[in-house]
């Protein structure tokens, strides 16, 4: 259901939710990681969402979410969506203003109304990219913490389980977000025993804790040959709830990768009753967020080794990260 086409190398690498090549099947959405951002639109029967995430056109790429069956599209409040029989893709954009809490709460409430109404109540993955993520809002609160307040209130009010997520900066203004949701009972959320669940972080990281799980496992959809997926959240150099190795990108990269290792260890998968074999897992759709552009070569060499970049597409994005002392954050899909 997913592939990245990288203009620079002209390769297309697939992590298809269907477990087979989706060429010719419909498309739910194209997320364009490029040189500008804008609100989502419906074009040619799919959602289009441009996000300002690259400094130059040579680094642009498109994440394409394919459909397994006929696609239905629509709009609801500030949201634009597309779904097939099994999955809903939904996107939105909130322009920058003095603060995000109220707008984020509204947007997430609309997401829950929409996913419930359309019969895709199980969120399994979300991405939130915020401009000026570490800068203060008009009342002096950091933009990311401000966003977390509204998101947490919506999750609490609607009593929803928190899925795997990425929170990172963008190079533009405003909040660009997109998410995937499935049928009732399709998602299993996973925590890392070495990390305090993000939703239980102490208040020193912000008045409301971040609302996400460390990973979400998406069960096999019935009978169409579709394979299972493990969506790994943006993962950073945090043990317990504390940032490790402030200022040392190599050590942060190492801790982030070992956090992924812990998350997908056989013992942890078993603990969460996820019946996939660690040794059979293959990574795809890896995205690595790097705060300082000069760190990218080092981070890339470490990630290429861990993920085996002959087999896996890895995109490096030079953007800020939610905690100002974090230098690198790594997400992936394992299947
Ligand atoms: C962390 O572990 C690093 O707020 O949605 C990673 C993934 C992070 C998702 C989010 C934040 C989010 O706390 C930051």
């Amino acid at each position: 259901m997913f592939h990245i086409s990288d203009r620079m190398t002209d390769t297309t690498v697939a992590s298809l939710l269907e477990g087979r090549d989706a060429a010719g099947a419909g498309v739910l959405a194209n997320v364009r990681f490029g040189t500008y951002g804008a609100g989502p639109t419906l074009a040619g029967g799919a959602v289009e969402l441009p996000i300002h995430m690259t400094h130059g056109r040579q680094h642009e790429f498109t994440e394409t979410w394919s459909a397994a069956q006929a696609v239905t599209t629509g709009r609801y409040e500030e949201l634009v969506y597309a779904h097939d029989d099994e999955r809903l893709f939904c996107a939105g954009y909130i322009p920058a203003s003095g603060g995000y809490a109220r707008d984020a709460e509204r947007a997430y409430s609309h997401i829950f109304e929409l996913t419930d109404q359309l019969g895709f109540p199980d969120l399994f993955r979300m991405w939130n990219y915020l401009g000026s993520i570490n800068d203060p809002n008009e009342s002096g609160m950091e933009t990311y913490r401000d966003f977390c307040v509204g998101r947490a209130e919506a999750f609490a009010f609607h009593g929803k389980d928190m899925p795997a997520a990425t929170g990172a900066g963008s190079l533009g203004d405003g909040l660009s977000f997109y998410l995937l949701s499935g049928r009732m009972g399709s998602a299993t959320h996973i925590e890392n025993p070495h990390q305090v669940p993000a939703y239980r972080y102490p208040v020193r990281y912000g008045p409301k804790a971040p609302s996400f799980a460390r990973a979400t496992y998406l069960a096999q959809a019935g009978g169409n040959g579709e394979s299972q997926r493990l969506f790994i959240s943006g993962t950073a150099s945090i043990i317990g709830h504390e940032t490790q190795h402030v200022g040392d990108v190599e050590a942060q990269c190492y801790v982030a990768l070992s956090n992924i290792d812990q998350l997908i260890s056989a013992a942890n998968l078993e603990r969460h009753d996820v019946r996939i074999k660690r040794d059979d897992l293959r990574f795809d759709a890896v995205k690595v967020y790097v705060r300082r552009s000069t760190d990218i070569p080092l981070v890339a060499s470490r990630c290429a080794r861990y993920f085996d970049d002959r087999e896996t597409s890895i995109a490096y994005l030079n953007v800020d990260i939610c905690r100002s002392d974090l230098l690198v954050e790594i997400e992936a899909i394992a299947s």
Side-chain angles (χ1 to χ4, degrees):
M1 188 183 182
F2 175 97
H3 72 266
I4 284 179
S5 51
D6 186 330
R7 210 184 267 178
M8 189 166 53
T9 59
D10 201 28
T11 53
T12 301
V13 185
S15 167
L16 303 160
L17 262 177
E18 296 78 24
R20 57 175 186 272
D21 197 315
V27 168
L28 291 178
N30 291 302
V31 185
R32 311 227 179 252
F33 290 81
T35 53
Y36 71 96
T41 57
L42 287 169
V47 177
E48 292 281 325
L49 179 68
I51 313 180
H52 190 173
M53 295 293 284
T54 71
H55 294 284
R57 297 202 62 194
Q58 73 274 21
H59 298 301
E60 290 182 330
F61 63 92
T62 298
E63 211 182 75
T64 298
W65 294 94
S66 332
Q69 303 93 14
V71 177
T72 302
T73 59
R75 294 169 187 280
Y76 177 68
E77 300 283 353
E78 70 275 74
L79 309 172
V80 173
Y81 64 86
H83 69 82
D84 61 12
D85 295 347
E86 298 297 329
R87 324 274 177 232
L88 172 77
F89 178 100
C90 172
Y93 171 74
I94 297 173
S97 65
Y100 282 103
R102 279 179 66 203
D103 287 342
E105 183 183 4
R106 262 175 62 85
Y108 271 85
S109 289
H110 292 147
I111 288 165
F112 299 138
E113 290 164 14
L114 177 71
T115 53
D116 283 352
Q117 273 170 32
L118 294 177
F120 300 91
D122 273 23
L123 264 65
F124 59 86
R125 188 65 170 94
M126 60 185 182
W127 289 262
N128 290 283
Y129 297 110
L130 279 153
S132 308
I133 189 168
N134 300 131
D135 292 349
N137 71 5
E138 66 184 7
S139 32
M141 192 189 294
E142 186 194 45
T143 295
Y144 172 64
R145 297 178 178 204
D146 179 24
F147 158 74
C148 281
V149 169
R151 179 176 56 171
E153 278 166 359
F155 270 94
F157 183 78
H158 291 267
K160 284 284 184 176
D161 290 341
M162 293 169 266
T166 291
S170 75
L171 301 172
D173 298 321
L175 165 64
S176 303
F177 62 91
Y178 63 101
L179 57 98
L180 288 152
S181 201
R183 295 297 188 187
M184 177 93 78
S186 57
T188 304
H189 308 296
I190 298 172
E191 291 298 323
N192 177 347
H194 295 237
Q195 296 188 292
V196 171
Y199 49 85
R200 295 210 195 109
Y201 284 170
V203 290
R204 71 186 231 216
Y205 302 104
K208 292 278 181 176
S211 315
F212 69 96
R214 299 296 174 188
T216 297
Y217 171 70
L218 187 67
Q220 195 156 358
N224 64 357
E226 186 170 355
S227 56
Q228 54 216 347
R229 289 288 182 271
L230 186 60
F231 291 87
I232 299 171
S233 290
T235 304
S237 178
I238 296 173
I239 301 289
H241 54 74
E242 289 176 324
T243 301
Q244 308 293 303
H245 308 296
V246 173
D248 181 346
V249 71
E250 184 171 17
Q252 286 205 12
C253 195
Y254 179 78
V255 174
L257 291 171
S258 41
N259 271 332
I260 291 177
D261 245 18
Q262 290 296 335
L263 191 63
I264 62 171
S265 67
N268 199 44
L269 295 176
E270 199 172 314
R271 187 178 299 127
H272 290 85
D273 210 18
V274 170
R275 289 161 205 285
I276 44 176
K277 288 213 181 71
R278 162 70 179 102
D279 293 341
D280 294 344
L281 286 177
R282 299 167 75 83
F283 293 105
D284 212 336
V286 180
K287 296 213 290 288
V288 183
Y289 307 90
V290 184
R291 182 182 291 276
R292 306 184 301 215
S293 63
T294 47
D295 289 337
I296 290 178
L298 181 77
V299 169
S301 80
R302 299 300 177 272
C303 290
R305 199 183 310 153
Y306 182 81
F307 291 109
D308 188 358
D309 67 347
R310 290 160 306 173
E311 304 271 321
T312 305
S313 85
I314 309 181
Y316 296 93
L317 297 151
N318 173 214
V319 293
D320 288 338
I321 296 166
C322 351
R323 269 190 203 179
S324 50
D325 55 11
L326 289 173
L327 298 173
V328 60
E329 181 177 318
I330 306 168
E331 67 173 61
I333 301 175
S335 53

